[in-house]
Amino acid sequence: MAEQIEFDQAHQALQEVSEALENGRFVHVRRQLQDMEPEDIAHLLEASPRKSRDVLWQLTDPEDYGEILDELNEDVKDALVSKMEPEVLAEATEGMDTDDVAYVLRSLPDNVSREVLSQMDISDRLRVETALSYPEDSAGGLMNTDVITIRGDVDVDVVLRYLRIKGELPEATDALYVINEDSQLIGQLPITTLITTQPDVKVSDVMADADEAIEVTMSDSDIASLFERRNWVSAPVINEHQHLVGRITIDDVVDVIREDAEHSMMSMAGMDDDEDTFAPVFKSARKRSIWLGANVLAALAAASVSNMFEATLEQMAAIAVLMTIVPSMGGVAGNQTVALVIRGLALGHIGDANRRELLAKEAAIGLVNGIMWALIIGGIVVAWKGNWMLGGIISAAMLTNLLVAGIAGVTIPILLKKMNIDPALAGGMALTTVTDVIGLSVFLGLATFMI
Amino acid sequence: MAEQIEFDQAHQALQEVSEALENGRFVHVRRQLQDMEPEDIAHLLEASPRKSRDVLWQLTDPEDYGEILDELNEDVKDALVSKMEPEVLAEATEGMDTDDVAYVLRSLPDNVSREVLSQMDISDRLRVETALSYPEDSAGGLMNTDVITIRGDVDVDVVLRYLRIKGELPEATDALYVINEDSQLIGQLPITTLITTQPDVKVSDVMADADEAIEVTMSDSDIASLFERRNWVSAPVINEHQHLVGRITIDDVVDVIREDAEHSMMSMAGMDDDEDTFAPVFKSARKRSIWLGANVLAALAAASVSNMFEATLEQMAAIAVLMTIVPSMGGVAGNQTVALVIRGLALGHIGDANRRELLAKEAAIGLVNGIMWALIIGGIVVAWKGNWMLGGIISAAMLTNLLVAGIAGVTIPILLKKMNIDPALAGGMALTTVTDVIGLSVFLGLATFMI
């Protein structure tokens, strides 16, 4: 109940803080920010227009900077970090998880990042440098180095006493890792096993085996898929010599899952998934222009097709009026298939073994819907324009285009993936170009031939 | 390393099993299935065309049925469950988490579901019936009832002894819940605290407070958002009397996050996010037709606009050739904004406080890109058609339409949300209709007026 209220408050905080900012009640805002959790301040910053965002950042307790930065969307984080002094940044990252510090530092220019690192104490610096040496989207970039290791030949009681002396465990610790004298991972001891086992039992007798360790080079999407399927809370990371090098926790994996899913949705609309909701106008305009430029080419391709049939269009204006319907339906139907295939590829459901079945199924759906909408649209055109020939032509073009849409909707994303081009980014536009060109060619071609 | 290999194997399993199935080597397939984890079998089933899927299901050990069903996509699960005998289903659900049993049973007709329930033992039945009494997308539908409760006035040592006698803890247990004599939740004892605290300390002295409990009626998307922001592994669920009724674990929340994100992506393309990649042709065709029907209306609206300018089109075919460019660019630019706003609404970034700034920003981007593309396309048209007037007309229409696209891209999703219509589902099509109608009207209207 308390949490429900708190949750609604998070939605309201934005409203309150903006009002207080507008009225210049900075002391009030500072006090409000002090009462908020870092993750809620991050949310507030992301939801704030850029002017208020800078003011809010100034009013935030620098002690919270590190944790807030870690929770921020990449573009928002980069904008804030670029204005911070290296000393403030170094201080902010104190006590943070290695992978989170690496996330904050990754976007900095090399010389600034070196300066921040030089301000850290030596052991922190070494750990962060190790994290930075792995690609951001690999296990090495995602992992934390704060693991608790134990030996297999000790009793459970010894482990418990060791932990009591240690006093505090790293966040989301659900297992201790058992290593041999060469620091190789040989097993793990889930904490739930630890507390349900008699004190005099040896660790090696109750530990789970280590075959679920993640290679340090594994990609973050593959890791997310493993966590999702295995319902893990954390997993150990090993290098090529089986040495334990860190651990990955579910909270970081959840971010990967969210980002991967957002990436598909935003890419399909031609947007960068890092884009800040309140990004600067010119920066956004430039980013989005690339996509608009691609669409100009697609639109000109379609116009060139119509251009070839200029004589037909001159002869009968009704053809020009109707010529947008067939490409439009083909684009919508094809994009339904593209969305299904992109999801299937992302989930690993589509491979060599079932491509043919998928193609046959989508072509069949194209045929079924093609026949249905050919009849309906043909009927509407006959009723509207009183011209049976026009109705027949649009029906034939519709059927052809929906069939093409089904086939292209399966083949285009799969081909793009084979060519290492992101199907979510390029699939929709490539598909629309195909359905525009084919739809217009068939409709105008038939019209030229028949009328 | 072992896991990396296992992961690649999962991708290959599909290929191998399909080949073995095609060659009728059923014994081999059955053996392969026995060696696989339930979640991997679920993945294999989802990735299999429907014919092989039924054969695979027959070859799977019925002991694994329950766990496999829980991991399946809704449409695939429903298809398999509908063919199972109630007794087999009842047996399959034995030992499963309550929320997972509820997920499996929810799609069954009432009489079948009652029959399955009647085959369960009484305590399981009561717990499942409770879960079924909550909406599927609420905390009640998501929670598990297997909580471990303790009293606050006992020592840590007593708790440890109690757990050792119990022997096994529910999956993803990271805290024990402290209740008072009225079964009200008063605190929680993280397991990491339990093992780092001296044995003679009282639970109430080290427990965390209970203000992070989730109300049983909270929606699953709000819960996902809380888990993401707070980095929780599990959280207690309470009813309106503060009674502890269950707990929610991160693995179920991850599914919600994945589904919500998929929902946005699939809805924007006019697809149902439950759609099975290998759904039956007629079922899919029917589902997708609704969306195609909506698009027919949109396409006819655009055609009606062109129809009003039939005389102009008759006069100059070049206008017909060029008339698709402006609506196409407006649709793409507008959908970029729609994607940004849909994500912002889903993340709770957009509210009354910042709507105006967002609108101003997107209108400004529309203006900037409008000016740029107006100049480029105007130039192309002048070069292509050698007609300065046509170039001027298309430039003016382009600028207007990209500005409209920016404004409509912000207002349409927000308005739809206010009207309780899913903006991800209806936003793109509503936007495209607006940009088609405005783009065509301005271009053809100016052409009629000027030429």
Side-chain angles (χ1 to χ4, degrees), chain A residues 53-72:
Chain A
R53 193 181 283 165
D54 289 340
V55 181
L56 284 174
W57 191 242
Q58 297 302 326
L59 295 174
T60 303
D61 184 351
E63 289 237 326
D64 291 338
Y65 277 174
E67 270 182 86
I68 295 172
L69 286 172
D70 174 43
E71 298 286 337
L72 286 173

Side-chain angles (χ1 to χ4, degrees), chain A residues 118-377:
Chain A
S118 74
Q119 309 265 346
M120 294 182 180
D121 74 44
I122 180 96
S123 74
D124 282 354
R125 187 170 76 214
L126 284 175
R127 292 198 304 171
V128 173
E129 280 173 347
T130 310
L132 284 171
S133 72
Y134 295 108
E136 187 173 7
D137 57 357
S138 72
L142 210 61
M143 75 185 184
N144 243 309
T145 47
D146 57 351
V147 291
I148 298 187
T149 53
I150 51 174
R151 299 296 286 271
D153 52 8
V154 297
D155 287 349
V156 162
D157 191 40
V158 175
V159 176
L160 279 173
R161 264 187 288 137
Y162 163 67
L163 294 178
R164 281 191 195 120
I165 293 166
K166 220 172 139 43
E168 207 180 338
L169 299 186
E171 226 183 324
T173 295
D174 69 334
L176 311 177
Y177 301 123
V178 187
I179 54 174
N180 63 16
E181 55 278 5
D182 296 327
S183 291
Q184 289 176 316
L185 183 72
I186 54 168
Q188 44 181 320
L189 183 66
I191 292 205
T192 49
T193 306
L194 178 68
I195 57 176
T196 52
T197 303
Q198 295 302 326
D200 55 350
V201 175
K202 230 184 214 125
V203 166
S204 56
D205 291 338
V206 286
M207 73 182 186
D209 52 13
D211 62 355
E212 300 204 323
I214 288 174
E215 271 266 288
V216 73
T217 52
M218 195 180 212
S219 86
D220 59 357
S221 301
D222 286 351
I223 294 167
S225 171
L226 269 173
F227 267 78
E228 250 187 290
R229 278 154 69 181
R230 304 272 187 263
N231 295 339
W232 289 342
V233 169
S234 78
V237 181
I238 52 172
N239 66 13
E240 68 273 30
H241 309 298
Q242 296 268 358
H243 291 150
L244 178 70
V245 290
R247 93 194 157 102
I248 291 176
T249 49
I250 182 76
D251 53 311
D252 295 316
V253 174
V254 164
D255 292 343
V256 173
I257 292 172
R258 165 75 75 187
E259 276 161 26
D260 279 359
E262 261 181 16
H263 172 78
S264 295
M265 178 214 150
M266 295 291 272
S267 300
M268 280 177 75
M271 292 285 281
D272 179 352
D273 51 306
D274 288 330
E275 177 145 338
D276 164 11
T277 310
F278 297 95
V281 168
F282 283 96
K283 195 176 164 202
S284 286
R286 204 178 52 231
K287 271 185 172 179
R288 295 191 202 173
S289 259
I290 301 167
W291 193 243
L292 289 169
N295 189 57
V296 166
L297 298 181
L300 287 176
S304 308
V305 173
S306 326
N307 198 49
M308 294 191 300
F309 300 99
E310 204 165 359
T312 310
L313 291 167
E314 215 142 56
Q315 219 180 314
M316 197 173 174
I319 291 174
V321 168
L322 300 174
M323 76 176 185
T324 52
I325 297 176
V326 173
S328 159
M329 293 293 282
V332 167
N335 271 313
Q336 290 182 324
T337 304
V338 166
L340 187 79
V341 174
I342 286 172
R343 187 189 60 167
L345 288 171
L347 296 178
H349 284 174
I350 298 174
D352 293 334
N354 53 22
R355 257 196 334 243
R356 231 180 322 141
E357 276 89 352
L358 186 65
L359 187 63
K361 179 204 136 204
E362 290 298 317
I365 292 174
L367 196 67
V368 169
N369 273 336
I371 291 171
M372 190 171 97
W373 292 104
L375 292 174
I376 293 175
I377 306 237

Side-chain angles (χ1 to χ4, degrees), chain A residues 6 40 46-47 228-230 258 273 275 277 288-289 307 343 347 354 361-362 369 385, chain B residues 6 40 43 47 228-230 258 273 275 277 288-289 307 343 347 349 354 361-362 369 385:
Chain A
E6 189 194 314
D40 294 328
E46 287 183 345
E228 250 187 290
R229 278 154 69 181
R230 304 272 187 263
R258 165 75 75 187
D273 51 306
E275 177 145 338
T277 310
R288 295 191 202 173
S289 259
N307 198 49
R343 187 189 60 167
L347 296 178
N354 53 22
K361 179 204 136 204
E362 290 298 317
N369 273 336
K385 293 285 172 188
Chain B
E6 190 193 314
D40 294 327
H43 188 258
E228 248 187 291
R229 279 155 68 181
R230 303 272 187 262
R258 166 74 76 186
D273 50 307
E275 178 147 339
T277 310
R288 296 191 201 174
S289 258
N307 198 48
R343 187 189 60 168
L347 296 177
H349 286 173
N354 55 20
K361 178 205 139 205
E362 290 297 319
N369 274 336
K385 293 286 173 188

